Amino acid sequence: MSVKEAGPVKPIRVALLGCGTVGTEVVRLLTDQAEDLTQRIGAPVELAGIAVRRPNKHREVPEHLLTTDAAALVKSDDVDVIVEVIGGIDPTRGLLLEALRNGKSVVTANKALLAEHGPDLFEAADASGADLYFEAAVAGAIPLLRPLRESLAGDRITRVMGIVNGTTNFILSAMDATGAGYNETLEEASRLGYAEADPTADVDGFDAASKAAILASLAFHTRVTASDVYREGIRAVSAADIAAAKGLGRTVKLLAICERVTSPSGQESVAVRVHPAMIPRTHPLASVNGAFNAVFVEADAAGEMMFYGQGAGGAPTASAVVGDLVAVARNMVASGHGPRESAYAALTAQPMGNTPTRYHISLDVADKPGVLSQVAAVFAEHDVSIAAVRQEGRIEDASLVIVTHAATDAALRSTVDKIGGLPVVRDVVSVMRVEGEE
Ligand SMILES: NC(=O)C1=CN([C@@H]2O[C@H](COP(=O)(O)OP(=O)(O)OC[C@H]3O[C@@H](n4cnc5c(N)ncnc54)[C@H](O)[C@@H]3O)[C@@H](O)[C@H]2O)C=CC1
Ligand SMILES: N[C@@H](CC=O)C(=O)O
Ligand code: NA
């Protein structure tokens, strides 16, 4: 029996906060799919209002719903659910806390807010019994947070590693394909509309770090915030780094890596980091190009899984937002609740210096006897073991390419610093971490 045949059902009233790239597409999906959504939920979903900053801007949305007063929508008795697609910390933090404290469920795509203030939002939701859903906040359309939060809740996740920023992946893919430098490729990304007017959050790794914090929190049942995440962006990645990677059958990707680590004494902690890394061209993440995202998850019982798809863009992100809205609405119809925060494990965050990593180091050195042994001595002094060395002589100098075994990141950095100061080393051409191989 259809919902219509069953008689009138109380509609779910939704306030949309923000109507930019994602918000406009949320309105379109809610309008185009209204009939289907009603059937899937068991009640109609109605827009009660749309909060915008500039009401006079042209948008393909019902004008009579527009308001500049987001706070009034959040307070309104006529609103059941808040969908937030404004972004940033202010005023969203205050608006969402107020909504949750008053028992209104929230759907948000706001990774920056969740990574900074997730615990406050979860506490407010738990106290009032409201739902908090945020699938769009990491890897856009790709169903990733729900699998971590629900499907894999019976397993023990050990590692999450992936490409979670479309803008930087577009830039690195283009540098790899054309051999062009970072600055000219960023200009191309801006011209094509991938990079934002201020690309800082993307290219300096803040966006990926927020996503890594959210992924680690869910995977390891622990509160991980943006400040726990080690972060390096891609500004320093040079054409020489890309060429060095190619020469070794590798490519460079900005990776978000969340790991469960166990100390020799058996103490568990989490290590969460975002940085560029060389991965083998045969690795599945190496073929993720352009603005696409992909995330590898490893769990004890399930083994390895990869999630792949569109991590950005209005329509793909709106798909995840509306999917969450359906979940919230279904919970309301069934008088149930979505999953609460799960942070019982309370693992500590391991500093980057203690995290085991591997480095690729490419040096221009004087082509004379004894150079290799001087360089090797510095590695030995820092207890860093060398996995592979390649030396190519030239007329006046030579290039030396070294790939290490795993050592603590602090030991590797000290090694590189000391090697850079050796008189026989003319230039440290490229230093990059290596991932995705044993
Ligand atoms: N665009 C994308 O590909 C993705 C975006 N997200 C997240 O979705 C959220 C929205 O992103 P976009 O739509 O791309 O941003 P946008 O900048 O296109 O849209 C945000 C809108 O909110 C409006 N706004 C700002 N302050 C406001 C206020 N006080 N009241 C009402 N409206 C206000 C702005 O005028 C703008 O139109 C952000 O949290 C973003 O991180 C998540 C995944 C992908
Ligand atoms: N700027 C982000 C948008 C999605 O989160 C990206 O480039 O991935
Ligand atoms: Na997602």
Side-chain angles (χ1 to χ4, degrees):
M1 190 165 43
S2 74
V3 172
K4 264 188 197 145
E5 287 161 349
V9 202
K10 192 175 168 293
I12 312 272
R13 302 276 289 164
V14 176
L16 180 67
L17 311 187
C19 197
T21 307
V22 179
T24 312
E25 291 298 320
V26 169
V27 177
R28 190 181 63 75
L29 275 182
L30 289 177
T31 311
D32 290 357
Q33 308 218 74
E35 276 297 311
D36 285 317
L37 293 177
T38 303
Q39 294 300 330
R40 291 171 198 170
I41 292 164
V45 170
E46 290 177 1
L47 272 172
I50 304 172
V52 296
R53 198 165 43 180
R54 285 166 290 155
N56 296 327
K57 186 181 154 192
H58 174 74
R59 300 176 177 84
E60 299 289 329
V61 300
E63 277 184 22
H64 69 281
L65 293 175
L66 298 180
T67 170
T68 53
D69 196 348
L73 278 180
V74 166
K75 285 192 183 80
S76 169
D77 291 337
D78 184 35
V79 169
D80 303 305
V81 183
I82 303 294
V83 173
E84 184 270 310
V85 282
I86 293 175
I89 309 297
D90 284 317
T92 54
R93 177 172 177 267
L95 291 168
L96 298 194
L97 280 174
E98 163 130 27
L100 292 166
R101 282 176 186 144
N102 292 330
K104 288 184 171 58
S105 291
V106 165
V107 173
T108 177
N110 193 335
K111 55 252 175 173
L113 180 66
L114 287 158
E116 294 256 345
H117 300 288
D120 297 345
L121 297 173
F122 280 117
E123 272 169 21
D126 285 358
S128 72
D131 279 342
L132 176 60
Y133 277 74
F134 46 94
E135 180 61 70
V138 184
I142 308 172
L144 175 62
L145 304 189
R146 193 157 311 158
L148 291 179
R149 229 177 159 190
E150 300 182 34
S151 322
L152 291 164
D155 209 333
R156 180 178 177 276
I157 296 172
T158 50
R159 196 160 196 257
V160 180
M161 173 169 100
I163 296 165
V164 292
N165 183 268
T167 303
T168 47
N169 200 53
F170 172 83
I171 294 171
L172 293 173
S173 303
M175 286 174 75
D176 185 90
T178 65
Y182 167 77
N183 284 324
E184 60 189 288
T185 314
L186 175 59
E187 276 170 28
E188 172 77 350
S190 306
R191 200 176 56 74
L192 290 169
Y194 292 118
E196 299 183 26
D198 175 8
T200 308
D202 292 315
V203 299
D204 289 336
F206 290 101
D207 178 80
S210 294
K211 292 164 175 170
I214 296 168
L215 288 171
S217 301
L218 299 184
F220 306 131
H221 304 272
T222 286
R223 286 182 170 177
V224 179
T225 58
S227 60
D228 297 318
V229 182
Y230 174 81
R231 177 190 53 78
E232 269 177 39
I234 64 161
R235 277 185 209 265
V237 176
S238 63
D241 292 324
I242 303 275
K246 269 187 162 173
L248 291 163
R250 297 186 175 106
T251 187
V252 177
K253 296 289 184 192
L254 182 72
L255 297 181
I257 303 170
C258 315
E259 291 167 308
R260 193 188 278 277
V261 285
T262 310
S263 73
S265 64
Q267 184 73 33
E268 271 206 337
S269 55
V270 294
V272 189
R273 52 197 164 107
V274 167
H275 55 71
M278 288 184 183
I279 56 171
R281 292 185 99 80
T282 49
H283 192 283
L285 288 178
S287 52
V288 177
N289 289 316
F292 274 76
N293 285 188
V295 178
F296 247 85
V297 178
E298 294 171 30
D300 280 350
E304 292 182 349
M305 289 151 281
M306 181 154 148
F307 299 81
Y308 171 79
Q310 297 197 61
T317 308
S319 165
V321 170
V322 176
D324 277 355
L325 181 55
V326 168
V328 168
R330 283 175 170 160
N331 293 340
M332 289 174 69
V333 168
S335 302
H337 286 301
R340 311 279 92 185
E341 183 191 27
S342 176
Y344 70 92
L347 301 176
T348 53
Q350 174 175 266
M352 183 62 180
N354 296 351
T355 301
T357 56
R358 296 181 62 196
Y359 273 34
H360 156 276
I361 302 154
S362 178
L363 306 170
D364 262 357
V365 294
D367 190 9
K368 54 184 183 193
V371 172
L372 188 53
S373 62
Q374 284 187 48
V375 171
V378 178
F379 280 90
E381 196 184 302
H382 290 86
D383 213 13
V384 173
S385 132
I386 294 174
V389 184
R390 195 173 75 190
Q391 185 169 11
E392 280 170 17
R394 297 202 214 129
I395 295 165
E396 290 188 342
D397 51 15
S399 83
L400 197 57
V401 175
I402 298 158
V403 180
T404 73
H405 282 301
T408 65
D409 202 72
L412 285 160
R413 278 180 190 225
S414 307
T415 307
V416 172
D417 285 349
K418 182 130 189 214
I419 283 174
L422 290 176
V424 292
V425 173
R426 297 182 180 192
D427 190 17
V428 178
V429 180
S430 167
V431 178
M432 192 159 294
R433 296 183 184 88
V434 176
E435 291 291 334
E437 53 196 270
E438 292 308 313

